[in-house]
Amino acid sequence: MNCALIMAGGKGTRFWPVSTEEKPKQFLKLLGNKSMLQMTVDRLEGYIDIEKVFICTSRKYIDLVKKQLPNIPDKNIIVEPFGMNTAPCIALSSILINKYYPNCNILVLPADHLVSKEDDFINVIKVASNYLINNKESIITFGIRPNRPETGYGYIKVNDGNCKGVSKAIKFVEKPNYENALKYLSSGNYLWNSGMFLWNSLYIIDLIREFLPNTYDALKGVISCKYEDLQTIIDNNYNKTDFISIDYGVMEKAESIYVIPCDFGWDDVGSWNSLERYAEKDENGNVFIANGITYNSSNNIILSRKPIVVNGVKDIIIVETEEYIMISSKSKEQEIKQAKEELDKIKYMEE
């Protein structure tokens, strides 16, 4: 039996100022008529029943989840009192899902990724599920064959990035600089780490108990509690968990990590430059979602609610909302998050 866990508690700061803490990018319609969260749930339709799809999110986003996913049962919305990185999120969710569906497989998905080849995606999940039938003490990761020297993703080293089945993962590599990313691309032995996993619920709980005992001890009261006491136990103990990612907390320590090289049109649409890969452009390469004109300008990303004239510039990002105007060079896009943090400090001091 397969269940799905969709992690939807992130703040989406790299898409600021359109993505805000009140409504982060997983709830936005960035690539069509549905939000990223809705698209993530939709691609599971026909393979995993909605009763077995769980959403882990922050308390402040409960209403957004219910509004966008009205068919999700209330018990399937797992509420973090505050963010503690992916390991506590996955630990809490795995314990709860196993409580409802003992000894199931859990497919873990971020809420804000793009998958354009949905049939190929489901076929890969089926391959992974079949592998787990006889190999329950395994973690299956989904590695994406890279097509550019991407510095914004983590990588997984494998023996052969062109194999079509399940193979042993050699090691996880953090986000590289451009030179190393180019080496990884040319070697053929590195895959992008998609952040998607499939594992048996009992096995991942055992690994969390082994490698993150503080987190397990903080959350083990969830195992036997009554439903009406559940959120109180979570709220009272979540601050005792380890603030750590699942990659650092478990993946880099466990031995039984396997990977399937994939090509199902995946992208972590986590930044303005990544959105540019899919948005419609004018004859000069501008993404222009606004009223107004571009003049002698090329390769820009422009979103504005007010009429705008863009003259004689290239390779910049301009985003205007009701509250902010953000202007950045595309090459420095990774610094938008840090710039937003500095702005928040200034606002806090003024208050």
Side-chain angles (χ1 to χ4, degrees), residues 240-278:
K240 302 172 187 174
T241 62
D242 302 282
F243 187 92
I244 193 171
S245 71
I246 196 68
D247 288 345
Y248 281 126
V250 174
M251 298 298 166
E252 293 188 356
K253 300 174 183 176
E255 295 293 331
S256 53
I257 310 291
Y258 297 86
V259 62
I260 302 177
C262 304
D263 182 15
F264 43 64
W266 174 90
D267 204 330
D268 174 4
V269 186
S271 63
W272 290 110
N273 281 333
S274 64
L275 181 63
E276 184 183 26
R277 290 193 285 272
Y278 306 99

Side-chain angles (χ1 to χ4, degrees), residues 147-289:
N147 56 21
R148 61 182 184 276
E150 177 61 57
T151 60
Y153 301 160
Y155 286 70
I156 305 171
K157 185 177 182 181
V158 294
N159 282 323
D160 181 7
N162 292 315
C163 75
K164 296 183 179 180
V166 180
S167 61
K168 193 78 168 60
I170 297 175
K171 68 176 180 178
F172 287 78
V173 181
E174 291 304 306
K175 298 175 183 178
N177 58 30
Y178 181 81
E179 290 74 19
N180 284 333
L182 198 59
K183 292 177 183 177
Y184 297 163
L185 179 65
S186 60
S187 76
N189 293 331
Y190 287 83
L191 305 168
W192 288 335
N193 181 4
S194 69
M196 298 187 289
F197 313 100
L198 183 71
W199 47 48
N200 176 267
S201 58
L202 293 176
Y203 184 56
I204 191 63
I205 292 170
D206 283 343
L207 291 179
I208 289 165
R209 184 192 295 115
E210 178 181 357
F211 297 127
L212 297 171
N214 290 336
T215 295
Y216 177 81
D217 289 343
L219 300 174
K220 64 183 180 182
V222 170
I223 297 173
S224 57
C225 75
K226 297 179 181 179
Y227 180 76
E228 56 265 29
D229 299 326
L230 176 63
Q231 197 59 51
T232 299
I233 290 174
I234 295 171
D235 292 348
N236 290 341
N237 291 279
Y238 210 62
N239 64 337
K240 302 172 187 174
T241 62
D242 302 282
F243 187 92
I244 193 171
S245 71
I246 196 68
D247 288 345
Y248 281 126
V250 174
M251 298 298 166
E252 293 188 356
K253 300 174 183 176
E255 295 293 331
S256 53
I257 310 291
Y258 297 86
V259 62
I260 302 177
C262 304
D263 182 15
F264 43 64
W266 174 90
D267 204 330
D268 174 4
V269 186
S271 63
W272 290 110
N273 281 333
S274 64
L275 181 63
E276 184 183 26
R277 290 193 285 272
Y278 306 99
E280 185 177 348
K281 304 176 185 64
D282 66 18
E283 65 275 11
N284 295 312
N286 297 298
V287 175
F288 193 73
I289 305 174

